[in-house]
């Protein structure tokens, strides 16, 4: 708890309010006349929606980022993506370090909550986040510049490189090209650079900390083991399924060679988990491809990263727990370690609450939106998961949502980025209370 003006606020509530303040500042800046190109007008909901999408690193938009916003407006969006992707508490710590002030305990605890850290000893990861994220984005910008410069010249090439490096690393999905990366589907160099940036941002900084320190300690935490193995399995399965259901993107055989189609399939297996950058309209996917994309968006990336969704470790833990139960094992073991019961309970709760939120949002949107009658459920489900997973891929219905629909999508983006536990705890003002008694145990029939 932190006391402000004689009132005590929980850490989740302060984090929630902090993100809301960032969104409000972004909305105000995007409403400024010089944030929009000459001849265009930005309404409040357009600015509010864009600010929310950028801060929550989602990428869903009501207007074209490339043509509607001026350089200043695009600069605001890039700044919001950076703050939203790395977390505003990371920037608070960075400012304290820059002015050589000692980081207060309250700030340390808030940062621990914001980055999903187990204990304060892991706060050294903040220094890694600051250094590594800047390094990766700078190097990524340089590599992108080699491709953008011949096409757009020096000044535009530099800006496009910086913007898309931020967007890819923060898994934000915004672009300045007007049609995402569709013009680059036959450009292996661009797709490889973007894929590396996306994976780097979605791995999670605790995983990076373990990997970079492995040569010294020769040890990986259980979190890193689970995140890497689960992420690897999900990528492999999604690639195989996309390859089979889309016949290695056979619909583009007249535009791409076999190897280029294979690379686009790999890119497609990476991006739906939260990145949002696409090389072709998803309306061209088969029903099976759409279904897999929805599942991948729900899963998302790794905790402590720039990604959204229920996270890979949640899915990996629940899968491991299910296998152990089906085998009649009492403990859930992985990589020669045993998961705590608190871990399992937290994962089950997170998965259930996420499912309830998603289903409720689908029901509300289906009932309140005027959408294609022939496949309304598919369009709405895809949009809801794109918002909740902070993915930003859309089947093209974002601009057709009414005010209520836009608010629902904004709420989903916010919950997906800030975190279900953080938002729920701040709403219900939950505080752990230890009871001095326990009720008798009794079993119920399951399944």
């Amino acid at each position: 708890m932190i006391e402000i003006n004689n009132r005590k606020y929980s850490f989740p509530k302060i984090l929630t309010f902090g993100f809301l303040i960032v969104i409000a500042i972004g909305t105000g800046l995007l409403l400024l006349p010089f944030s929009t190109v000459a001849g265009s007008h930005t309404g409040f909901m357009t600015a509010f929606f864009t600010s929310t999408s950028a801060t929550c690193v989602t990428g869903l938009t009501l207007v074209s980022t490339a043509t509607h916003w001026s350089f200043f407006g695009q600069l605001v969006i890039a700044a919001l993506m950076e703050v939203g992707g790395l977390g505003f508490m990371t920037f608070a710590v960075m400012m304290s370090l820059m002015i050589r002030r000692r980081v207060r305990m309250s700030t340390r605890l808030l940062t621990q909550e914001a980055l999903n850290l187990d204990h304060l000893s892991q706060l050294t990861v903040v220094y890694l986040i600051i250094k590594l994220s800047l390094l990766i984005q700078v190097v990524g910008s340089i590599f992108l510049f080699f491709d953008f410069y011949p096409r757009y010249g020096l000044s535009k090439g530099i800006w496009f490189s910086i913007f898309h490096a931020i967007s890819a690393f923060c898994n934000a999905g915004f672009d300045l090209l007007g049609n995402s990366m569709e013009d680059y589907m036959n450009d292996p160099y661009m797709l490889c650079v973007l894929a590396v940036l996306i994976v780097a941002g979605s791995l999670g900084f605790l995983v990076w900390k373990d990997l970079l320190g492995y040569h010294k300690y020769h040890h990986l935490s259980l979190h890193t083991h689970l995140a890497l193995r689960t992420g690897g399995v999900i990528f492999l399965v999604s690639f195989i399924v996309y390859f089979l259901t889309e016949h290695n993107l056979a619909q583009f055989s007249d535009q791409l060679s076999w190897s280029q189609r294979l690379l686009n399939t790999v890119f497609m297996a990476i991006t739906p988990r939260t990145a949002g950058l696409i090389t072709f309209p998803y309306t061209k996917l088969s029903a099976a491809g759409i279904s897999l994309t929805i599942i991948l968006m729900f899963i998302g990336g790794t905790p402590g990263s720039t990604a959204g969704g229920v996270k890979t470790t949640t899915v990996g833990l629940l899968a491991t727990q299910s296998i152990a139960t089906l085998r009649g094992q009492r403990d859930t073991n992985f990589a020669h370690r045993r998961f705590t019961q608190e871990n399992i309970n937290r994962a089950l709760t997170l998965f259930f609450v996420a499912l309830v939120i998603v289903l409720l949002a689908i029901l509300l949107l289906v009932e309140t939106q005027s959408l294609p009658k022939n496949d309304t459920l598919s369009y709405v489900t895809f949009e809801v998961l794109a918002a909740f997973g902070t993915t930003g891929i859309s089947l093209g219905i974002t601009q057709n949502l009414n005010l209520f629909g836009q608010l629902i999508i904004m709420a989903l983006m916010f919950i997906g980025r800030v975190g279900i536990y953080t938002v729920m705890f701040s709403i219900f003002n939950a505080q752990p209370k230890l009871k001095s008694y326990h009720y008798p145990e009794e079993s119920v029939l399951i399944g």
Side-chain angles (χ1 to χ4, degrees):
M1 300 287 286
I2 294 181
E3 188 171 313
I4 302 176
N5 294 330
N6 297 322
R7 295 187 63 180
K8 291 185 177 180
Y9 296 90
S10 64
F11 295 130
K13 187 167 289 188
I14 292 176
L15 288 174
T16 302
F17 287 157
F19 268 96
L20 289 173
I21 291 171
V22 173
I23 290 171
I25 294 172
T27 302
L29 292 174
L30 291 176
L31 283 172
L32 296 173
F34 46 84
S35 292
T36 310
V37 297
S40 298
H41 170 72
T42 301
F44 174 77
M45 277 306 299
T46 298
F48 190 19
F49 192 96
T50 304
S51 179
T52 303
S53 183
T55 305
C56 299
V57 290
T58 304
L60 293 174
T61 58
L62 299 178
V63 293
S64 171
T65 309
T67 59
H68 182 83
W69 303 107
S70 65
F71 172 74
F72 179 80
Q74 294 171 359
L75 189 63
V76 170
I77 292 172
L80 291 174
M81 288 191 295
E82 195 75 71
V83 174
L86 303 186
F88 72 92
M89 284 310 304
T90 303
F91 284 89
V93 173
M94 182 174 67
M95 293 302 296
S96 297
L97 295 175
M98 287 177 63
I99 60 177
R100 300 186 181 279
R101 287 185 58 184
R102 184 179 179 83
V103 182
R104 298 172 58 183
M105 179 57 69
S106 58
T107 304
R108 290 171 176 264
L109 292 171
L110 268 173
T111 308
Q112 176 189 358
E113 182 78 26
L115 299 176
N116 295 314
L117 305 180
D118 291 330
H119 41 78
L120 284 174
S121 62
Q122 292 177 319
L123 271 182
T124 54
V125 77
V126 174
Y127 301 92
L128 177 68
I129 291 174
I130 296 169
K131 295 177 181 178
L132 185 64
S133 61
L134 290 177
L135 176 63
I136 291 175
Q137 290 177 85
V138 168
V139 173
S141 298
I142 294 172
F143 277 99
L144 290 176
F145 178 74
F146 292 133
D147 205 319
F148 281 127
Y149 171 65
R151 299 172 186 252
Y152 299 104
L154 182 61
S155 58
K156 208 170 184 179
I158 292 174
W159 173 233
F160 275 33
S161 301
I162 294 173
F163 187 95
H164 291 95
I166 294 172
S167 181
F169 178 77
C170 293
N171 285 209
F174 281 84
D175 71 275
L176 299 180
L177 306 171
N179 57 355
S180 195
M181 309 309 298
E182 291 181 28
D183 294 338
Y184 293 84
M185 66 187 305
N186 58 355
D187 187 339
Y189 176 83
M190 175 66 75
L191 297 186
C192 288
V193 174
L194 291 176
V196 170
L197 285 169
I198 290 166
V199 171
S202 65
L203 266 184
F205 294 106
L206 283 179
V207 173
W208 273 113
K209 183 174 181 289
D210 272 2
L211 291 177
L212 293 175
Y214 184 76
H215 70 284
K216 181 178 181 181
Y217 301 105
H218 302 288
H219 170 76
L220 295 178
S221 67
L222 180 60
H223 167 82
T224 298
H225 272 293
L226 184 62
L228 291 177
R229 292 192 191 181
T230 306
V233 169
I234 291 173
F235 166 74
L236 184 61
V237 171
S238 58
F239 169 74
I240 293 173
V241 174
Y242 277 133
F243 184 88
L244 295 176
T245 60
E246 308 308 316
H247 307 287
N248 194 29
L249 299 177
Q251 64 268 44
F252 300 104
S253 58
D254 59 332
Q255 301 171 250
L256 304 172
S257 65
W258 190 90
S259 59
Q260 288 174 335
R261 286 188 282 129
L262 185 67
L263 179 58
N264 276 266
T265 304
V266 171
F267 191 77
M268 183 169 58
I270 293 173
T271 54
R273 299 223 335 256
T274 64
L277 295 173
I278 59 175
T279 55
F280 60 90
Y282 269 58
T283 50
K284 294 187 177 182
L285 280 185
S286 65
I290 292 291
S291 301
L292 176 60
T293 303
I294 289 173
I295 295 171
L296 293 176
M297 291 191 294
F298 183 71
I299 294 173
T302 306
S305 70
T306 59
V310 295
K311 305 298 191 297
T312 53
T313 51
T314 302
V315 174
L317 193 156
L318 292 179
T320 307
Q321 166 70 22
S322 300
I323 293 171
T325 301
L326 292 173
R327 288 179 173 176
Q329 298 173 354
R330 187 169 185 176
D331 296 329
T332 305
N333 303 316
F334 186 85
H336 307 293
R337 295 290 187 275
R338 177 165 54 92
F339 291 114
T340 65
Q341 190 59 45
E342 182 184 357
N343 256 165
I344 297 170
N345 292 340
R346 190 177 178 90
L348 285 169
T349 303
L350 176 64
F351 194 90
F352 176 76
V353 173
L355 201 59
V356 170
I357 291 173
V358 166
L359 292 176
L360 180 60
I362 291 172
L363 177 62
L364 290 173
L365 289 178
V366 167
E367 286 296 313
T368 59
Q369 305 303 304
S370 299
L371 298 170
K373 297 296 182 183
N374 58 333
D375 208 6
T376 302
L377 186 59
S378 297
Y379 278 81
V380 168
T381 303
F382 196 95
E383 192 81 6
V384 165
L385 268 301
F388 175 76
T390 67
T391 306
I393 304 173
S394 177
L395 295 180
I397 69 170
T398 309
Q399 292 83 0
N400 299 323
L401 298 173
N402 59 27
L403 177 60
F404 182 75
Q406 292 172 14
L407 292 174
I408 292 291
I409 294 299
M410 289 164 63
L412 288 168
M413 292 190 291
F414 187 80
I415 293 172
R417 177 63 190 101
V418 179
I420 291 176
Y421 277 112
T422 301
V423 175
M424 293 297 107
F425 285 173
S426 64
I427 292 175
F428 296 112
N429 200 26
Q431 298 297 329
K433 296 179 181 178
L434 296 177
K435 293 183 178 180
S436 58
Y437 60 89
H438 296 280
Y439 289 110
E441 285 186 346
E442 186 174 346
S443 297
V444 296
L445 295 177
I446 301 294

